[in-house]
Amino acid sequence: MSSRKVIELFFDVVSPYSWLAFEVMCRYRKVWNIELRLRPTFLGGVMQGSGNKPPGLVPNKLLYMGKDLNRLSEYFNVPLKPPADVPEAMFKKGSLNAMRFVTAVQEMEKSGDEWVERVSRELWRRIWYEDRDITEPASLSEAAMKAGLSDSEIKRALELCNSQEIREKLKSATEEALDYGAFGFPLVVCHLNGKPELFFGSDRFELLAHCIGEKWLGPLPDKSTAKL
């Protein structure tokens, strides 16, 4: 078997399209010959650093996004339901605290990224399915508890997320995404022949598969494999 290709996924739980890419890539790391690296990053910093404008601030794009996410939720089998006030959830409240918390969880994890995967998924579920807060310590604690972290682990993560170390780590990840050329999320960076290849959005999986010499089996590869 050839060496596994390294794929980085830059994401922020405030982005619903990032959730779709996140679930697909987590499913496909069991199917494709890849090493998936989850990269929690602050989308607000990427948008500001790239000079991009969030689609939610454009009225027609916001209307389209609601309909689009309903279709995508069914297609990708991800429980997406936009919050009642999308601008407030995404832009007024934002995700800085949440992404510092995820970064802290990643710092605590000794090996692998199981905690990061589970905590991120619970935070996405809170904002993009249950229409609940992801900014307050109690909200972060509840998400981490549902993800399986112990009380002591949650307490440590909350302490860490306010540290300068974690602030700098999240800032560094954001700057790294910008250096790659990021202007929004999700961003998949595939390292091919020593060079990074960028794929933006949650609709580039067929192209990604082609570039790495793998097969796209749809959003639910386990079901597709069972049919073959």
Side-chain angles (χ1 to χ4, degrees), residues 36-109:
L36 178 63
R37 297 178 182 174
L38 300 178
R39 302 296 307 276
T41 318
F42 181 45
L43 179 58
V46 166
M47 299 298 284
Q48 183 177 9
S50 64
N52 196 5
K53 187 176 183 180
L57 295 181
V58 180
N60 281 356
K61 285 185 178 180
L62 182 60
L63 287 173
Y64 175 80
M65 187 172 75
K67 298 175 182 178
D68 191 42
L69 290 177
N70 287 334
R71 294 185 297 228
L72 292 170
S73 174
E74 181 180 358
Y75 178 70
F76 284 103
N77 193 28
V78 175
L80 271 169
K81 186 168 63 175
D85 191 335
V86 172
E88 180 184 11
M90 294 188 71
F91 312 125
K92 292 182 181 179
K93 288 188 173 182
S95 60
L96 183 57
N97 289 346
M99 295 317 295
R100 283 176 177 167
F101 186 74
V102 175
T103 302
V105 169
Q106 186 175 60
E107 183 70 15
M108 290 168 53
E109 201 158 14

Side-chain angles (χ1 to χ4, degrees), residues 162-173:
N162 291 317
S163 69
Q164 190 62 31
E165 175 189 5
I166 293 303
R167 289 169 185 258
E168 290 297 326
K169 185 173 182 180
L170 181 60
K171 181 180 177 182
S172 178

Side-chain angles (χ1 to χ4, degrees), residues 6 13 23 26 42 45 52 104 107 114 118 132 203 206 222:
V6 174
V13 297
E23 296 296 354
C26 285
F42 181 45
N52 196 5
E107 183 70 15
E114 186 178 354
R118 296 203 310 253
R132 301 176 71 189
D203 57 355
E206 291 179 76
D222 289 342

Side-chain angles (χ1 to χ4, degrees), residues 7 17 20 24 30-31 39 41 50 53 59 70 86 103 112-113 117 135 157 161 163 181 183 185 188 199:
I7 292 182
Y17 294 98
L20 302 173
V24 168
K30 301 175 183 177
V31 179
R39 302 296 307 276
T41 318
S50 64
K53 187 176 183 180
N70 287 334
V86 172
T103 302
D113 55 21
E117 179 180 340
T135 65
C161 72
S163 69
F183 53 88
F185 286 163
V188 173
F199 300 85

